[in-house]
Amino acid sequence: MRRRTPSPPPPLPQRNGVDPVRVRLPAGDAWATVRDHLVARLAAGAEVIDGMLDAGQIVDAAGRPVPRDMAYVPGMFLWFHRELPDEERVPFAVDVLYRDEHVVVADKPHFLATTPRGSHVAETALARLRRELDVPTLSAAHRLDRLTAGLVLFTVRPEERGAYQSLFRDKRVAKEYEAVAPYNPSLALPRTVRSRIVKERGVVAAREVEGEPNAVSRVELLEHRNGRARYRLMPSTGQTHQLRVHMSALGVPILGDPLYPVVTGPVASGDFRRPLQLLARVLEFTDPVTGREHRFISPRVLRAWSSYEEWAG
């Protein structure tokens, strides 16, 4: 097996808590110049690429600006900063529940993405924490959906990130979620839901299909009143939108869900009303570096339970 060549460290600093973009020129391509490849590869267009090259904004591994006529070299690494999109600020704080020299455990609000992706770049939990804590090496060990609130584990040291990621990969993290959804007295709970969930690229909603189950969720009823209920959800797998899909399939879709059971129109930018009533409440694990036993509990309250009229209004 050929060992992958590790990429060199970025020669550009972070900007606003966001890493520079790294591009590796693939082998087998026959472009005359680096510029020609970038114009074909990136969606920015020739005019933007030329402007960035002329301004010295695209650099090599040594931090040297790449000229327009630089010959194409397979395997070469390039870095540049993307133009950040205009982002609506999410007006809720990321609360740090725990911090040591190895990890940060944060309580993420609804509407805030965990890591930069698509149109959410600087306005993400990771970028915010890098800025607020002044820890540029901070990385996420896992992700929560943008619409889901609750606990996220971040790592401090790049060389230790893999050890913490393996906790989630090897299912050595106990996770509990809380949701508010309609109450159905005929729904027998507790129960374990098993199904096969697929998420296709370009399709916003995941779906259940026939086949070997790849998604397993434990669903328990905590309490109910006025036609609504509070549920404890314990996933033992991590498929995209798993809990949202399973609750919808049970006939009790989570309140505020814009995708399940029906995809609704996009919410206007800046509209932070009626957040999805799903919360990553508990995160429990043994630290793979220090051996410490950790159990963290989010103090957040789901508003559709504490004050339904306020949430619905």
Side-chain angles (χ1 to χ4, degrees):
M1 178 187 296
R2 293 183 61 185
R3 187 173 296 176
R4 289 186 62 184
T5 302
S7 62
L12 296 175
Q14 290 174 358
R15 183 180 293 172
N16 207 18
V18 179
D19 292 322
V21 175
R22 185 193 69 205
V23 172
R24 189 177 190 185
L25 306 185
D29 284 0
W31 302 98
T33 66
V34 171
R35 180 261 182 200
D36 292 343
H37 172 77
L38 293 178
V39 168
R41 179 173 178 175
L42 304 179
E47 185 176 347
V48 172
I49 298 299
D50 287 340
M52 293 175 69
L53 289 168
D54 293 343
Q57 295 173 349
I58 301 176
V59 303
D60 64 12
R64 296 175 298 231
V66 173
R68 281 203 202 190
D69 59 354
M70 174 176 279
Y72 184 90
V73 179
M76 180 181 182
F77 287 97
L78 305 174
W79 280 267
F80 60 89
H81 281 287
R82 76 184 90 182
E83 193 68 33
L84 295 181
D86 291 331
E87 298 179 69
E88 187 79 31
R89 177 166 175 78
V90 177
F92 312 113
V94 182
D95 299 322
V96 174
L97 300 189
Y98 177 83
R99 179 183 180 184
D100 64 22
E101 63 270 33
H102 305 284
V103 299
V104 171
V105 177
D107 197 352
K108 183 185 81 67
H110 296 285
F111 300 108
L112 189 69
T114 302
T115 57
R117 197 174 196 181
S119 60
H120 306 283
V121 183
E123 196 52 17
T124 59
L126 177 61
R128 275 202 198 177
L129 288 171
R130 282 175 170 175
R131 299 191 301 266
E132 293 170 4
L133 302 180
D134 193 22
V135 182
T137 58
L138 202 68
S139 294
H142 64 120
R143 290 179 181 173
L144 281 186
D145 288 345
R146 185 177 68 86
L147 298 184
T148 302
L151 302 181
V152 183
L153 176 65
F154 295 89
T155 64
V156 174
R157 299 173 176 172
E159 66 272 19
E160 295 175 351
R161 186 186 182 201
Y164 291 98
Q165 287 180 314
S166 70
L167 291 175
F168 296 88
R169 182 194 65 215
D170 300 337
K171 301 178 182 178
R172 290 183 284 132
V173 177
K175 295 182 287 185
E176 292 182 17
Y177 290 71
E178 187 176 307
V180 178
Y183 172 62
N184 181 355
S186 65
L187 179 63
L189 294 175
R191 71 168 62 188
T192 298
V193 182
R194 295 179 174 86
S195 70
R196 185 165 191 83
I197 294 176
V198 297
K199 174 69 168 64
E200 299 168 353
R201 183 180 293 273
V203 179
V204 295
R207 60 191 177 92
E208 291 183 308
V209 298
E210 296 293 328
E212 184 72 19
N214 63 356
V216 181
S217 307
R218 174 78 171 175
V219 181
E220 299 178 358
L221 175 66
L222 294 174
E223 55 183 327
H224 67 90
R225 67 179 182 226
N226 302 325
R228 296 179 298 280
R230 199 163 62 90
Y231 298 88
R232 177 188 293 123
L233 311 177
M234 291 170 285
S236 54
T237 55
Q239 297 300 317
T240 299
H241 298 173
Q242 174 179 317
L243 296 176
R244 298 162 65 180
V245 170
H246 280 169
M247 290 294 283
S248 180
L250 290 175
V252 285
I254 298 171
L255 295 184
D257 198 327
L259 298 182
Y260 309 98
V262 177
V263 177
T264 60
V267 176
S269 176
D271 185 353
F272 300 111
R273 299 171 299 167
R274 293 186 292 279
L276 175 71
Q277 295 299 279
L278 180 62
L279 171 67
R281 174 71 77 191
V282 177
L283 201 60
E284 185 174 0
F285 61 92
T286 301
D287 191 301
V289 176
T290 67
R292 295 174 188 150
E293 299 290 336
H294 288 302
R295 178 178 172 85
F296 301 103
I297 302 175
S298 168
R300 292 184 186 273
V301 176
L302 292 172
R303 283 196 294 133
W305 185 254
S306 63
S307 180
Y308 179 78
E309 291 73 20
E310 178 185 331
W311 172 83

